Amino acid sequence: MSKEAVDAIVSAIERMRPACAVLSDRIWDLAELKFEEKNSSGLLAKALEDEGFSVRRGVADMETAFIAEAGAGKPVIAFLGEFDALAGMSQIAGIAEQRSLAAGATGHGCGHNLLGVGSLMAAVALANHLKDNGIPGTVRYYGCPGEEGGSGKAFMVRAGAFDDVDTALTWHPAPFNGVRSTNNLAVLEYYYRFKGVAAHASNAAHLGRSALDAVELMNVGVNFLREHMQQDCRVHYAITDAGGRAANVVQARAEVLYLIRAPDMPQALSLAARVEKVARGAAMMTETDVEIIFDTASTNLLPNITLETAMHENMMALGPIVFDEADIAFARRIQKTFTDEAIASSIRLYQIGRDVFSAAKIDGAMPLHLGLRHFEGYPHFRAGSTDVGDVSWVTPTAQCWAPAWAIGTNPHTWQVVAQGKAPAAHKAMAHAAKALALTGLSLVKSPELMKAAKAEWMEKTGGKPYICPIPTDVMPGAMSR
């Protein structure tokens, strides 16, 4: 790619950065939960309309899902945006101590305020570049709600929203800069709702049938099951209804939510069938009834090394992010809230020991990642799950990461929220936007790259059609609470 093209994309995104930082901060303020992101979604859609994109709202029966499009013809390049927050993650921005804005309120504990706006910047920059230079191609921004436990993208894939997309690109805030190929886990979520018989817990206990006992027996049974499942599988739960607060009542109702993860969806479904047997066994032992309610699911991610290599090369061309002393000082204050083990774990998890631009060892002494991690060219195991996986099964997909957080930061923590409005986070957001836009331009200008990415995707899918793990009668947000 020519230096002129790179400079044009970079300059366009830098011009957008001040206004987009304000937009990202506004979405941080709103902190709307899955499928409730009306204001956040509306702000992003309006910003794209102002840039000349046509917008289709209410995609896949989700009020807050939308697709914005500019340009015409092939290829169709999709940028994925997210904007949902997390419950109970309220935190004052810009301070290095845990202090909520409002007790129990929501907060952007995974940086989706940055993610959605960064992808928007990439889409706008690429669309304008194609238009200004008379280059054919369609740029789409996918406004994807409910990533946090809602599988919004899976519903969009199920509805055929990606059927004509040639490739999809996205990013995520992180403590490091670069591309890290990952094999994420498939995940299934079920509610197990037990119904028993209430009774006085002392003088008529023999007449009661405890739904809470059933939940506890199920949890014990699943904990014994852990020894007999594959090593890379994960099962975790939360008791969502303990049946009440009176200890002298045999609880007639109780409910537990399970997340069941495995390296691929067939394994996840197989493990879920075993968990179901445990649940039914618990009901049998307690003479209660159990209702098993499917909530949502996401398929495992298919990494595309061809696309990831192209993205890494573009990040090399961009060079490192330039953080100033104030950025580093705030990151250092945040980092002081972590243990040495957490910092070391972060470095191991993201494998940022080798750097493209510096021979210096990354050991946490510098609180922000100032370089670019080495790209190995093969995937790593990652125990998390994402609905980006469902997109990756219908079109070649790649993502990069940008250092919006101090080294040692883990997602879904108050430290993420505290850093969500920081100038360093805005710089990382713009940097990711540049990498995405340049990768999109590489695909538009190189049919050979696009062909190679699709060939790798065909090989990995084995030519098998995507089967959505969400039953057709399950609608978005059906179990949201």
Side-chain angles (χ1 to χ4, degrees):
M1 192 184 308
S2 69
K3 183 178 184 301
E4 292 75 16
V6 173
D7 290 345
I9 292 287
V10 168
S11 297
I13 289 174
E14 282 300 313
R15 288 192 296 271
M16 285 190 279
R17 179 148 66 102
C20 286
V22 172
L23 177 58
S24 174
D25 288 355
R26 178 60 183 137
I27 294 172
W28 186 99
D29 292 335
L30 291 166
E32 296 171 302
L33 296 177
K34 62 180 179 180
F35 304 125
E36 299 175 3
E37 322 97 323
K38 295 179 183 179
N39 294 303
S40 301
S41 172
L43 287 170
L44 291 165
K46 177 64 165 56
L48 287 157
E49 284 178 326
D50 291 345
E51 291 289 345
F53 282 66
S54 62
V55 176
R56 177 162 59 95
R57 294 171 171 82
V59 174
D61 296 316
M62 292 182 287
E63 183 180 358
T64 55
F66 69 92
I67 298 175
E69 181 174 300
K74 285 286 193 176
V76 178
I77 308 295
F79 295 95
L80 310 181
E82 300 168 13
F83 35 82
D84 58 328
L86 287 158
M89 293 298 302
S90 176
Q91 165 67 33
I92 296 174
I95 65 172
E97 61 178 286
Q98 188 171 11
R99 193 190 310 166
S100 65
L101 280 164
T106 58
H108 270 286
C110 209
H112 291 180
N113 60 303
L114 299 161
L115 195 167
V117 177
S119 293
L120 178 148
M121 296 168 77
V124 171
L126 179 59
N128 287 340
H129 185 83
L130 298 184
K131 179 181 177 182
D132 293 344
N133 291 275
I135 302 172
T138 301
V139 177
R140 287 198 193 138
Y141 178 95
Y142 282 73
C144 306
E147 192 277 336
E148 298 290 359
S151 300
K153 296 182 195 67
F155 287 105
M156 297 175 85
V157 173
R158 189 179 75 176
F162 290 89
D163 285 356
D164 63 342
V165 169
D166 289 294
T167 189
L169 304 172
T170 190
W171 77 287
H172 204 287
F176 76 98
N177 187 42
V179 178
R180 182 173 185 262
S181 185
T182 59
N183 288 318
N184 289 61
L185 297 177
V187 63
L188 294 158
E189 299 186 29
Y190 297 91
Y191 286 91
Y192 299 86
R193 185 174 296 163
F194 292 87
K195 183 179 179 181
V197 178
H200 193 290
S202 182
N203 66 13
H206 62 290
L207 299 178
R209 300 294 182 266
S210 174
L212 182 57
D213 284 356
V215 164
E216 292 190 287
L217 283 168
M218 178 184 175
N219 294 342
V220 169
V222 172
N223 285 336
F224 276 106
L225 179 61
R226 296 179 194 280
E227 183 183 355
H228 308 288
M229 63 178 71
Q230 291 189 3
Q231 185 176 357
D232 290 340
C233 293
R234 301 286 190 276
V235 177
H236 27 276
Y237 60 86
I239 297 175
T240 50
D241 183 2
R245 301 178 64 180
N248 61 344
V249 174
V250 174
Q251 308 298 354
R253 72 175 194 279
E255 180 186 87
V256 62
L257 170 64
Y258 266 80
L259 274 69
I260 300 165
R261 305 183 198 251
D264 59 40
M265 187 52 69
Q267 290 180 73
L269 289 166
S270 177
L271 182 55
R274 299 180 71 189
V275 172
E276 178 178 337
K277 290 179 181 178
V278 174
R280 297 199 184 280
M284 185 182 299
M285 285 188 287
T286 54
E287 297 184 73
T288 58
D289 296 319
V290 61
E291 181 184 8
I292 300 173
I293 304 165
F294 179 93
D295 183 25
T296 191
S298 295
T299 308
N300 55 295
L301 184 69
L302 281 182
N304 192 290
I305 303 300
T306 302
L307 282 181
E308 291 167 344
T309 300
M311 192 173 284
H312 174 71
E313 290 171 352
N314 282 307
M315 296 186 85
M316 288 181 63
L318 286 172
I321 302 175
V322 179
F323 293 114
D324 60 28
E325 289 301 320
D327 298 329
I328 292 170
F330 178 55
R332 198 178 301 281
R333 292 197 297 274
I334 288 288
Q335 200 178 62
K336 286 182 179 178
T337 68
F338 306 138
T339 64
D340 291 342
E341 181 184 7
I343 295 170
S345 176
S346 181
I347 293 170
R348 286 196 307 272
L349 176 64
Y350 297 110
Q351 297 184 322
I352 54 176
R354 291 184 61 189
D355 200 275
V356 172
F357 299 124
S358 172
K361 182 180 179 182
I362 299 172
D363 57 7
M366 179 58 68
L368 286 170
H369 188 194
L370 305 183
L372 177 70
R373 77 177 298 278
H374 170 75
F375 179 62
E376 302 87 348
Y378 55 83
H380 303 268
F381 172 75
R382 184 170 180 265
S385 305
T386 173
D387 56 8
V388 176
D390 295 87
V391 177
S392 74
W393 276 84
V394 295
T395 191
T397 302
Q399 68 176 351
C400 65
W401 309 74
W405 310 330
I407 293 173
T409 306
N410 280 308
H412 298 196
T413 59
W414 68 263
Q415 288 94 339
V416 170
V417 193
Q419 295 172 86
K421 285 186 168 183
H426 297 149
K427 292 172 186 176
M429 175 179 74
H431 193 77
K434 296 168 190 176
L436 294 180
L438 289 174
T439 305
L441 185 58
S442 297
L443 288 158
V444 170
K445 299 186 78 170
S446 175
E448 294 79 13
L449 175 60
M450 181 71 77
K451 183 178 179 180
K454 289 186 175 182
E456 180 181 342
W457 174 79
M458 283 293 294
E459 181 182 357
K460 287 184 174 176
T461 59
K464 298 177 182 177
Y466 166 79
I467 299 175
C468 185
I470 302 173
T472 56
D473 61 337
V474 174
M475 301 306 292
M479 286 297 296
S480 294
R481 56 184 64 202

